Amino acid sequence: MTKAERTERIKSLSRAALGILRRVGERCCVDRAGGRYRLSEVRHNEFRLTLSRSMDNEDRTSALDVQFLGKTVLHVEWTPEKVLQTAYRPGSWETMLLRYDRTAALANDRR
């Protein structure tokens, strides 16, 4: 896989995970050592999707974590201006996440 293909794959998977989080994520605010954060989380079968956004950081740093069977398979950290860090582990989880993005249980707004 080329660097460009890897980047596109990360973007595609991130869009799917963020879509699920926006539609059905449980939202809350938490205080951590680094400040106050807005969290959104979805746990569905073998997945745990988490979006964390700093409320105190002027850079407005956000982080997306996708865990599959308890292991982090995708991590993206960014500001509105640029991507700061990525970690990606290819695997069968990718197809499942994309399928879950179209699953009725995760497509409806429960709020």
Side-chain angles (χ1 to χ4, degrees):
M1 178 180 304
T2 68
K3 187 174 181 178
E5 290 171 332
R6 181 181 185 277
T7 299
E8 283 306 310
R9 179 72 56 93
I10 290 171
K11 285 181 183 179
S12 173
L13 294 166
S14 295
R15 277 192 297 269
L18 289 170
I20 292 169
L21 282 160
R22 285 186 184 114
R23 288 188 303 271
V24 296
E26 304 263 337
R27 293 171 179 82
C28 67
C29 293
V30 296
D31 292 316
R32 292 183 179 163
R36 191 161 175 79
Y37 290 83
R38 183 175 298 130
L39 296 178
S40 182
E41 184 174 86
V42 172
R43 292 177 188 231
H44 184 72
N45 295 338
E46 55 279 293
F47 280 99
R48 179 179 176 186
L49 314 175
T50 308
L51 175 61
S52 166
R53 292 190 173 166
S54 173
M55 296 171 69
D56 298 334
N57 185 332
E58 291 177 14
D59 293 338
R60 298 188 334 222
T61 304
S62 298
L64 170 67
D65 286 298
V66 176
Q67 290 185 353
F68 179 71
L69 298 173
K71 295 183 181 181
T72 300
V73 292
L74 179 66
H75 172 81
V76 182
E77 193 171 324
W78 71 94
T79 65
E81 292 79 32
K82 63 182 176 179
V83 173
L84 304 173
Q85 182 180 11
T86 63
Y88 164 64
R89 235 186 210 165
S92 61
W93 67 271
E94 298 173 59
T95 305
M96 294 176 72
L97 179 67
L98 295 173
R99 187 176 329 129
Y100 283 163
D101 188 34
R102 296 182 304 272
T103 300
L106 296 175
N108 296 327
D109 189 359
R110 294 182 189 165
R111 284 171 273 130

